[in-house]
Amino acid sequence: MSRPQQSRAEQEAVAYAKRKREEEEDYLKATEADATKGEQLLQQGQSHDLRLALSQKVDLDQIAEVMNASDEQAMNDETLEARRKALAEFERKRVARTIAVPTDDRQVKMELRKHGHPICLFGEDAGDRRSRLRFVLSKMAMGSDRLTKPGEDKDVSMDGESSDDNDDEEEFYTEGSEELRQSRRRIAMFSLERTRKRLDKERKECNEDLAGLRKRRLALAQNLSSYSVCGSQVGDVRPLGRALFTPDSRSILTGSWSGSMMLWSAPDFQPQRTFRGHTDRVSGLSFHPQAGSASVDFASGGADNNVFLWSLKNETPVGQLVGHQGRVVHVDHHPSGDYLGSASYDGSWRLWDIATQKELLLQEGHSREVFALRFQEDGALVATAGLDGIGRVWDLRSGRSIMELTGHAKEIFGLDWSPNCHQLATGSADNTVKIFDLRKLCSIYQIPAHKSMVTDLSFFHANLSSFSENKDKMAVDVSDSLSMDVSADSYAENDSSDMERLRNDGQYLVTASNDGMVNIWSVGDWKLQKSLAGHVGKVLSVDISGDGNYIVSAGYDRTFKLWGPEDF
């Protein structure tokens, strides 16, 4: 039986399949032939290279080791370069935190345009634009970017050197007045005498036996741990920015955000006098060392850019110091009583002659607002700190900055000198307190002080005129109180408890914070002795009475509180 005849379409499909199969077989044969030929050529080339290496006596293992070493070196170079870039970025971020950037969006745009950068990017708000300006300025400060417009060439001087080399910031000096020169001489003479008396006092204390010293320290720690609230008083309709004991510790002066100040008796909180002169927040108060016997008893600074001088007998100012262009945050009297220092949001601190009410010195040096200022008890130095997170120690006798207080991650809001005159403490928005030592020119301890920013701090400064037996019996010049000659003879006969408190000069530190707490720390081991809770909200100010009996604090809750031992 014969097969049925295939159709024409089937015949063409069979022929096409046969043709494709033949083409694939030819391609495979050609590929195998090329591979065989390539292997032969490779073997010939390797044998040629081997013969050449043998003829030249080259160590192939050594070549491999050199190649591996070069690869490792390249990897190490890449790692070092990555580390260098990471460190450079950390340094840039540190510099960026210290740069003052305008908060006004129009000024931010003007700055960006000034440096040749777009004033606005797609999807960018005012906060992003301010962050971009901070980045740009930090790059400029690091020297990695001239911030010129795209395509702009660097300016080249006639000798072929870039003009950037001449634009580096240099330390500069301005000529001072004859009054400033004379003031520096008087400050130098005053500080030498104070230093001599302080050193005599310290030499006497070195003779104290260790058993007696240990007993006194334990008694102090026990006394501090017993502190509690003794009284509370609403001081004004607005928050209280500052509360300060008078030098005799009999009264408390408070300054309010309403611009008014009030004098209260201590510890019964009876109002004695109201002082009016400021039109905005009062944040700086300082008593004259001889308050009560001087023509000017205290000074105040406020957000109205004014510094006023006051007498305790008058409700209106007896003098005004004009010059600051921003809020005056802090004022402090020089230990001699002849000069006043003021720190301001205009980025400067100033030294004033109280008698003539003239400005002696306008000192810049901070990249942002200056918030705190304190004179050393010897009178030779002054410390300043501000919102740039940096503190500086200045020598009043020469005008030089002799030490930089670095290490805080955020703004510094408070500082104070220890009575030993070589240590000072700074409180910052990073919730810590740092202790600096002038002898080592560095920070020696960091206290994790609070759960929120540290707003103020104070060492205990014993004031001879504050003690009970001498308030009415003797009028002692505070500038001579460091000698301790009079105090040792007087108190040995009069009051041993006052003598003990006098010896505790500088032995504890008190801090205040936005967490609503007032903490007491012992000096030396920097241990927390007591946490005082009572304020509702932020605590803005803290001070210790000159006799060591009380602590006063003022807060955002419009109250000031008195703290003392249980036996008081």
Side-chain angles (χ1 to χ4, degrees):
M1 184 175 180
S2 61
R3 291 187 304 175
Q5 188 174 359
Q6 293 180 339
S7 64
R8 184 178 180 84
E10 293 175 348
Q11 292 177 358
E12 291 177 356
V14 171
Y16 176 78
K18 184 183 295 185
R19 188 166 59 253
K20 292 295 292 181
R21 187 166 54 252
E22 292 174 354
E23 290 176 357
E24 291 176 357
E25 291 176 355
D26 294 340
Y27 174 77
L28 292 174
K29 291 179 181 179
T31 303
E32 292 176 357
D34 292 340
T36 303
K37 185 176 180 180
E39 292 176 357
Q40 293 175 354
L41 292 175
L42 180 61
Q43 291 176 359
Q44 292 177 1
Q46 290 177 346
S47 61
H48 175 73
D49 293 341
L50 182 59
R51 288 195 300 271
L52 179 62
L54 291 174
S55 64
Q56 296 180 356
K57 298 181 179 180
V58 176
D59 190 351
L60 297 179
D61 294 336
Q62 184 178 1
I63 293 176
E65 292 178 359
V66 171
M67 293 179 65
N68 293 334
S70 62
D71 292 340
E72 292 179 359
Q73 183 63 32
M75 293 179 63
N76 291 335
D77 292 343
E78 292 177 359
T79 303
L80 291 175
E81 181 66 17
R83 291 178 179 176
R84 187 190 66 79
K85 290 181 178 179
L87 290 175
E89 180 64 14
F90 280 126
E91 179 65 15
R92 186 199 64 78
K93 290 181 178 179
R94 186 192 70 80
V95 171
R97 289 194 297 267
T98 65
I99 295 177
V101 178
T103 56
D104 188 354
D105 192 46
R106 291 177 297 178
Q107 296 182 6
V108 172
K109 291 180 179 179
M110 291 175 61
E111 288 292 323
L112 288 170
R113 181 182 287 113
K114 174 183 175 181
H115 296 299
H117 286 259
I119 65 172
C120 187
L121 299 178
F122 179 77
E124 185 181 56
D125 59 11
D128 297 334
R129 192 157 37 249
R130 189 166 181 265
S131 299
R132 181 160 61 92
L133 176 60
R134 186 182 298 276
F135 174 81
V136 168
L137 294 177
S138 65
K139 294 283 283 185
M140 181 177 65
M142 292 294 294
S144 58
D145 186 3
R146 273 193 68 240
L147 303 175
T148 57
K149 296 181 180 180
E152 182 182 0
D153 296 330
K154 291 185 178 180
D155 297 331
V156 180
S157 60
M158 294 296 290
D159 57 1
E161 296 180 357
S162 172
S163 62
D164 287 348
D165 298 335
N166 301 324
D167 294 337
D168 294 337
E169 293 185 3
E170 297 181 356
E171 188 175 11
F172 65 93
Y173 298 91
T174 56
E175 184 176 357
S177 62
E178 177 63 22
E179 291 84 356
L180 177 61
R181 187 177 73 87
Q182 294 296 333
S183 298
R184 293 195 191 282
R185 292 175 60 88
R186 288 193 292 269
I187 289 174
M189 298 302 296
F190 175 84
S191 64
L192 288 173
E193 182 64 18
R194 295 270 290 194
T195 303
R196 182 188 66 80
K197 293 179 179 180
R198 176 175 57 83
L199 293 178
D200 290 343
K201 166 182 169 287
E202 292 177 354
R203 292 189 186 99
K204 293 178 181 179
E205 290 179 348
C206 288
N207 298 326
E208 183 179 3
D209 62 292
L210 294 180
L213 177 62
R214 177 179 174 82
K215 181 180 179 181
R216 179 162 55 84
R217 291 289 181 89
L218 290 175
L220 175 62
Q222 183 178 4
N223 182 57
L224 295 176
S225 62
S226 68
Y227 268 56
S228 60
V229 64
C230 297
S232 179
Q233 175 67 41
V234 175
D236 198 80
V237 296
R238 296 204 63 195
L240 300 180
R242 187 70 60 181
L244 206 63
F245 281 104
T246 55
D248 61 4
S249 301
R250 289 182 170 182
S251 303
I252 298 172
L253 181 66
T254 59
S256 168
W257 283 14
S258 66
S260 66
M261 295 166 288
M262 290 192 67
L263 188 68
W264 309 78
S265 62
D268 53 356
F269 295 156
Q270 295 298 318
Q272 296 178 337
R273 184 168 282 109
T274 301
F275 304 93
R276 302 187 185 278
H278 288 284
T279 58
D280 205 342
R281 291 168 291 175
V282 176
S283 52
L285 292 175
S286 174
F287 274 102
H288 192 283
Q290 291 88 37
S293 59
S295 59
V296 175
D297 292 319
F298 70 96
S300 64
D304 53 7
N305 307 349
N306 289 320
V307 178
F308 287 126
L309 305 178
W310 305 81
S311 171
L312 290 173
K313 301 177 182 179
N314 299 324
E315 296 184 355
T316 56
V318 298
Q320 182 177 3
L321 307 179
V322 180
H324 280 295
Q325 302 300 315
R327 172 189 173 191
V328 180
V329 190
H330 204 102
V331 293
D332 192 34
H333 278 85
H334 187 267
S336 66
D338 296 332
Y339 310 101
L340 182 74
S342 58
S344 171
Y345 267 30
D346 61 11
S348 70
W349 68 270
R350 308 190 186 208
L351 184 68
W352 309 84
D353 189 317
I354 296 179
T356 62
Q357 299 183 18
K358 290 184 178 180
E359 177 187 295
L360 296 175
L361 174 66
L362 187 158
Q363 182 65 63
E364 298 176 332
H366 290 272
S367 62
R368 292 189 63 187
E369 297 88 340
V370 185
F371 202 92
L373 176 145
R374 289 284 189 184
F375 288 104
Q376 179 202 41
E377 285 198 357
D378 282 351
L381 307 175
V382 61
T384 60
L387 303 189
D388 55 1
I390 302 294
R392 290 185 181 276
V393 178
W394 308 83
D395 190 336
L396 293 171
R397 300 161 297 183
S398 64
R400 297 177 182 270
S401 174
I402 63 172
M403 181 178 177
E404 192 175 69
L405 311 177
T406 60
H408 283 295
K410 294 183 180 180
E411 301 90 342
I412 298 176
F413 290 113
L415 62 83
D416 193 22
W417 287 91
S418 170
N420 63 26
C421 294
H422 60 78
Q423 290 181 341
L424 69 158
T426 57
S428 169
D430 60 9
N431 310 347
T432 66
V433 171
K434 282 186 175 294
I435 310 299
F436 293 88
D437 195 319
L438 265 67
R439 300 170 301 181
K440 299 181 179 180
L441 295 177
C442 66
S443 171
I444 60 172
Y445 201 84
Q446 175 172 300
I447 306 173
H450 290 274
K451 297 180 181 179
S452 186
M453 67 171 62
V454 181
T455 54
D456 196 17
L457 52 84
S458 178
F459 282 97
F460 169 49
H461 297 266
N463 192 334
L464 189 60
S465 63
S466 297
F467 290 90
S468 58
E469 293 296 330
N470 287 273
K471 286 179 181 178
D472 301 320
K473 291 185 178 180
M474 31 188 318
V476 180
D477 188 344
V478 178
S479 63
D480 294 334
S481 63
L482 282 175
S483 67
M484 299 301 166
D485 297 333
V486 177
S487 64
D489 296 337
S490 303
Y491 289 127
E493 300 175 357
N494 295 327
D495 195 334
S496 60
S497 63
D498 282 351
M499 185 60 184
E500 289 300 319
R501 290 199 297 273
L502 191 62
R503 287 180 175 176
N504 290 330
D505 186 30
Q507 295 302 312
Y508 60 96
L509 172 73
V510 180
T511 61
S513 170
N514 275 1
D515 61 8
M517 304 297 292
V518 175
N519 289 344
I520 307 176
W521 310 84
S522 56
V523 169
D525 55 6
W526 309 108
K527 291 183 179 180
L528 178 64
Q529 300 298 326
K530 185 72 173 183
S531 288
L532 305 175
H535 282 281
V536 180
K538 308 171 185 176
V539 184
L540 303 179
S541 170
V542 69
D543 189 36
I544 307 173
S545 62
D547 56 10
N549 290 334
Y550 297 108
I551 296 172
V552 64
S553 59
Y556 195 79
D557 57 4
R558 302 177 292 121
T559 68
F560 65 99
K561 300 184 185 299
L562 199 65
W563 314 86
E566 292 180 352
D567 55 354
F568 276 80

